[in-house]
Amino acid sequence: MATPLQDRVAIVTGSSRGIGREIAIHLASLGARIVINYTSNSDRADSVAAEINARSSTAAAPRAITVRADVSDSVQVKSLFDSAECSFNSPVHILVNSAGILDGKYPSLAETSVESFDRIFSVNARGAFLCAREASNRVKHGGGGRIVLVTSSVVASLRIGHSAYAASKAAVEAMTKILAKELKGSGITANCVAPGPVATEMFFEGKTEETVSKTVEECPLGRLGETKDVAPLVGFLATDAAEWINGQIIRVNGGYI
């Protein structure tokens, strides 16, 4: 029985952990062949690929591979796409850019260092730009091509201590809306998925128990999000059923915003 993403090739950046990991596993469950991208932790990336491949019914060829690449480096981003095409002997159909960082000290704008600002923009904004640019030129045209960029509901909530992070993600959301228009005639859609507070290592970084509890209290559903709350939406956007959704920012936050 054919699955919604049967044998389509999907690159998921930042997929060795957190939301990206769950997205990669979910896309694989829909039939996609997955490129697990990571920057530094090969063991985690290998673990995700092994989990996906263990579930595959095809023993002859792996359903998932790992590729190390820094999304803020244009040469490495090109190499990431080259590896995907070569490994699966296919054009890339789907890009999900989930790679992202923040400053776990949550400084005010006045206390944000230039180094921290540049680092956040390098990965979050420049990285998304480079990945989306490569995808625009190399994702399969003619239907089924999907670009999904993971941003953040902080762009809407504008929490203190997140000035550089929110600004970097806002830049991505603006680029995505324009990209969707520029891709006219290609059959490729471009959208953003913007999670709210999700229980990942990145969310908990630098937060006190009091801060976490306050965040839970502010959510109408009374809990933090989980990675499994985000992945199905990305999966849907990657399918043919979502063709009419284009140039959108979809906030996934349980009503937090």
Side-chain angles (χ1 to χ4, degrees), residues 97-222:
N97 186 64
S98 183
I101 61 171
L102 52 69
D103 187 336
K105 296 178 181 177
Y106 306 101
S108 66
L109 188 147
E111 296 173 333
T112 298
S113 69
V114 172
E115 291 76 17
S116 176
F117 179 92
D118 286 346
R119 179 170 171 265
I120 288 170
F121 263 78
S122 178
V123 174
N124 296 359
R126 176 186 169 93
F129 158 70
L130 291 175
C131 288
R133 184 180 69 166
E134 199 70 22
S136 299
N137 290 306
R138 298 178 65 170
V139 162
K140 184 179 182 298
H141 286 217
R146 300 288 183 263
I147 297 173
V148 181
L149 304 177
V150 178
T151 58
S152 172
S153 284
V154 171
V155 177
S157 64
L158 301 174
R159 311 289 288 188
I160 61 172
H162 292 78
S163 56
Y165 179 75
S168 70
K169 294 296 191 178
V172 177
E173 293 186 358
M175 282 192 290
T176 302
K177 289 185 176 184
I178 295 171
L179 175 60
K181 297 176 181 179
E182 293 176 343
L183 288 170
K184 180 179 179 180
S186 70
I188 301 170
T189 64
N191 293 286
C192 287
V193 169
V198 175
T200 62
E201 289 179 30
M202 192 170 87
F203 170 78
F204 288 117
E205 183 182 350
K207 288 185 174 68
T208 63
E209 288 186 17
E210 181 183 2
T211 300
V212 173
S213 295
K214 184 178 179 182
T215 302
V216 171
E217 289 172 7
E218 291 175 348
C219 179
L221 296 182

